[in-house]
Amino acid sequence: MRFFPLILIAGIAAEIWVFIKAGEAFGAFAVILAVIAAMFAGAAVIRRQGIRTLDGLRGALNGGSLREVNAADAALVYVAGLFLILPGFLSDLAGIALLIPPVRRVILGRLRSHVVVSETRVWTDGRGRQAPPVIEGEAVEVPTQTSSDQNSPWKV
C-alpha cells in the first residue's frame, strides 16, 4: 500500500503517453470518439450487471440460495465497467480483460486467499421485512431525591 501513490502516478503518466501516441497515429477526433464509445460501453456493462445481480438476488430470495449469487464475480464486472468509463486506453484494456470470465476466475482465486467469508442469516417475518431486534434488559426505578444544593443542574 505504500507504493500505491507511485503506481497511480505511473498509471496516469502511461495513460497520457498512450493518448499522445494514439492521437499521433489516428488523429484527435478518432481518439476522442473511442474514449466516448468506451464510456458508453462501460455504462452499459454496469447497467446490465446491476440488472443481472438484482435478478439473481430476487431468485435467491424467492426460494433459491444466496450461494447462487456470486457477489465477487459481479463486483469484478462492476470494476470492469468502471475501468471502461475512465478515460484512457490502458484502463479500457483492463476493463475488457475483466470482462473475460477466465481472467476473473484467476483474480478471484488470488483474492480468495486474502478474504475470509462468513455466513450471515437474516430472519424475516414472511413478508420480506426483517424482524426488529430484541434487546433484553432490566428496568429499575430510581427514586427521586430532593437535592440540598439549589444550584445543581441535576435537580428534579
Side-chain angles (χ1 to χ4, degrees):
M1 283 308 257
R2 48 181 229 207
F3 294 114
F4 182 74
L6 294 175
I7 293 171
L8 186 66
I9 291 171
I12 292 171
E15 287 283 10
I16 292 171
W17 182 80
V18 170
F19 265 130
I20 291 170
K21 292 300 177 186
E24 290 173 355
F26 302 110
F29 182 73
V31 170
I32 292 171
L33 193 64
V35 168
I36 291 172
M39 287 180 180
F40 280 113
V45 165
I46 289 175
R47 182 176 184 271
R48 182 184 59 118
Q49 186 60 34
I51 292 170
R52 181 178 293 163
T53 302
L54 287 176
D55 286 343
L57 285 173
R58 188 177 304 122
L61 291 175
N62 288 337
S65 169
L66 281 178
R67 296 188 190 279
E68 296 170 7
V69 180
N70 190 348
D73 190 64
L76 284 180
V77 175
Y78 278 121
V79 171
L82 289 175
F83 278 155
L84 287 170
I85 288 175
L86 289 175
F89 295 113
L90 298 178
S91 63
D92 290 346
L93 285 175
I96 291 169
L98 283 176
L99 290 176
I100 301 170
V103 173
R104 287 196 308 265
R105 279 194 292 272
V106 168
I107 291 172
L108 289 175
R110 293 191 181 215
L111 288 177
R112 280 195 179 105
S113 63
H114 301 290
V115 176
V116 177
V117 178
S118 63
E119 186 174 336
T120 303
R121 296 182 183 197
V122 178
W123 300 98
T124 62
D125 63 357
R127 290 181 282 186
R129 294 183 297 184
Q130 186 174 350
V134 176
I135 302 174
E136 295 186 22
E138 190 175 313
V140 178
E141 187 169 337
V142 179
T144 54
Q145 298 175 350
T146 58
S147 172
S148 60
D149 185 12
Q150 295 298 327
N151 295 328
S152 173
W154 302 106
K155 64 181 181 183
V156 184

